[in-house]
Amino acid sequence: MTKEEAKKILSAYRETDDGEEYGYIIQDYVGEDDKVHIFRCKVEGVDYDSLTGVFANLPLIAVFPDGTILNIPE
């Protein structure tokens, strides 16, 4: 999978949590690690300017070759 293919998969990805649906807004490409593409993203609907501490950190999201999307803890 190329970086562009991973970006397309992540851009189309939707997640549901407690009945609310959201996606990720890609901010930066971090790199590739063993065929896994890693992006730093914002969660749709979250106002990061109003957050402090660890909550203000943009999450790292991994896109695996099979299309699996996972949040990477820092």
Side-chain angles (χ1 to χ4, degrees), residues 1-70:
M1 168 188 310
T2 67
K3 170 187 166 184
E4 290 307 314
E5 290 170 327
K7 190 174 183 177
K8 185 176 178 180
I9 290 169
L10 182 56
S11 294
Y13 179 75
R14 306 300 296 167
E15 193 165 326
T16 303
D17 189 20
D18 293 331
E20 292 189 43
E21 184 178 284
Y22 60 90
Y24 295 99
I25 303 165
I26 298 170
Q27 300 298 298
D28 191 26
Y29 180 68
V30 176
E32 183 181 355
D33 183 21
D34 195 28
K35 308 286 183 190
V36 176
H37 293 277
I38 302 169
F39 298 89
R40 188 161 301 277
C41 302
K42 287 184 176 181
V43 177
E44 289 178 354
V46 175
D47 178 12
Y48 284 89
D49 292 334
S50 67
L51 299 175
T52 59
V54 296
F55 299 108
N57 295 340
L58 300 180
L60 290 174
I61 307 295
V63 181
F64 289 79
D66 67 356
T68 300
I69 308 285
L70 289 178

